[in-house]
Amino acid sequence: MEDKKILRFLCNGKEEMVLVRPDDRLLDVLRTGLGLTGTKEGCGIGECGACTVLLDGRAVNACLVPACLVEGRQVMTIEGLSEDPRLHPLQEAFIRHHALQCGFCTPGLLMSAEALLREKPHPTRREVQQAIAGNLCRCTGYEQVIAAILEVAEENGGAAAAPL
Ligand code: FES
Ligand code: FES
């Protein structure tokens, strides 16, 4: 279609070129254009956080980002988090703490946690809570998720001592 344009950006460290329509969202480009289905679509309106990815290192809802805005920028999805065959420390901690059940929210939670730990390697519990406030989970109740993230922060050299 003549209104499609070529979008170029870095995804998980790899240069990608995808044909996009003007109304495509980053989420469409990732899931349909690149087949990176680890990023989930829940609500599609920025409420659930299931589609969270990193854009230039910051957590964003891919369902709210027009694809054209990522031209020349860096995106990281859940597929880029682990170094195959090794899981990322956050993924290992989520498993150790049983921080997932159905797992639909998990990629988004992990990406929010990764964005937090990049910015603040030693967050307080409150900062962890705030970082994942936009990620809705219907299964786990969040305590295990918070414990997993704090454990990784501790492995980074010690979480902030204040419990709240
Ligand atoms: S699918 Fe993007 S926030 Fe819910
Ligand atoms: S583990 Fe099921 S929604 Fe979070």
Side-chain angles (χ1 to χ4, degrees):
M1 298 235 311
E2 65 280 0
D3 61 346
K4 285 190 175 177
K5 290 221 163 78
I6 292 177
L7 176 72
R8 292 183 177 83
F9 67 108
L10 271 182
C11 187
N12 299 330
K14 191 170 149 223
E15 275 188 51
E16 298 286 4
M17 276 200 313
V18 190
L19 215 47
V20 296
R21 294 180 316 205
D23 61 346
D24 276 344
R25 310 162 299 170
L26 174 57
L27 183 58
D28 304 314
V29 170
L30 295 174
R31 286 184 56 85
T32 309
L34 298 177
L36 296 172
T37 53
T39 302
K40 304 302 180 202
E41 176 156 17
C43 64
I45 55 170
E47 299 283 351
C48 74
C51 64
T52 305
V53 297
L54 303 193
L55 179 58
D56 294 336
R58 313 201 82 158
V60 296
N61 290 328
C63 70
L64 294 183
V65 177
C68 60
L69 286 188
V70 306
E71 176 72 37
R73 299 174 73 183
Q74 297 199 35
V75 174
M76 180 188 269
T77 69
I78 188 67
E79 287 87 351
L81 196 62
S82 59
E83 287 175 33
D84 196 29
R86 288 194 55 214
L87 291 177
H88 186 280
L90 278 166
Q91 291 172 308
E92 289 178 347
F94 269 50
I95 293 169
R96 273 196 303 278
H97 286 269
H98 306 288
L100 63 152
Q101 289 186 39
C102 79
F104 196 82
C105 67
T106 309
L109 276 165
L110 286 165
M111 298 315 286
S112 291
E114 170 70 4
L116 170 68
L117 295 183
R118 283 179 179 210
E119 197 187 340
K120 285 183 187 247
H122 315 306
T124 62
R125 181 182 174 85
R126 171 73 70 192
E127 286 167 336
V128 171
Q129 288 172 322
Q130 286 168 342
I132 61 169
N135 294 89
L136 302 187
C137 174
R138 290 177 173 243
C139 308
T140 66
Y142 298 101
E143 274 309 310
Q144 301 96 314
V145 172
I146 293 166
I149 297 169
L150 285 173
E151 184 181 85
V152 175
E154 236 171 277
E155 287 164 2
N156 282 345
L164 285 174

